[in-house]
């Protein structure tokens, strides 16, 4: 779903579709294929919009760090 050069990453874009994320107070981090952090945000709700307009074209990984120390990861392609 794309609006105003923003991307919304929905639950179904994740390989394990039963996962619900993010949750309040989860740490969201986007890294590029070289492992460089390009974005960090604390989730304030279960609906988070991330503006990726300024990211160069390429493959990225969204990592969701949970309060229980687990980490969920989804990859996405910025065109």
């Amino acid at each position: 779903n794309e609006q105003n050069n923003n991307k919304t990453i929905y639950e179904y874009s994740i390989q394990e579709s039963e996962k619900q994320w993010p949750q309040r107070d989860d740490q969201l981090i986007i890294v590029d294929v070289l492992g460089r952090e390009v974005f960090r945000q604390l989730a304030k709700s279960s609906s988070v919009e991330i503006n990726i307009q300024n990211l160069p074209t390429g493959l990225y990984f969204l990592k969701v760090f949970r309060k229980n120390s687990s980490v969920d990861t989804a990859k996405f392609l910025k065109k």
Side-chain angles (χ1 to χ4, degrees):
N1 192 14
E2 192 170 342
Q3 298 175 355
N4 301 327
N5 293 319
N6 292 331
K7 288 275 188 187
T8 303
I9 300 176
Y10 291 101
E11 177 183 335
Y12 62 78
S13 70
I14 301 157
Q15 290 181 4
E16 299 171 33
S17 61
E18 73 277 1
K19 292 190 183 291
Q20 298 285 324
W21 52 290
Q23 296 174 5
R24 184 176 170 82
D25 296 327
D26 288 346
Q27 186 73 242
L28 308 174
I29 297 175
I30 295 177
V31 296
D32 63 15
V33 292
L34 298 177
R36 296 178 295 204
E37 183 178 309
V38 297
F39 175 86
R40 178 183 290 254
Q41 178 178 322
L42 187 64
K44 296 179 182 173
S45 72
S46 62
S47 177
V48 176
E49 187 170 309
I50 299 171
N51 184 340
I52 61 169
Q53 178 179 4
N54 294 325
L55 291 180
T57 300
L59 182 63
Y60 293 89
F61 298 91
L62 171 64
K63 296 184 176 192
V64 180
F65 292 84
R66 305 237 180 245
K67 290 187 286 186
N68 68 4
S69 300
S70 67
V71 180
D72 292 320
T73 304
K75 64 181 174 181
F76 66 94
L77 183 63
K78 164 71 178 351
K79 296 183 178 181

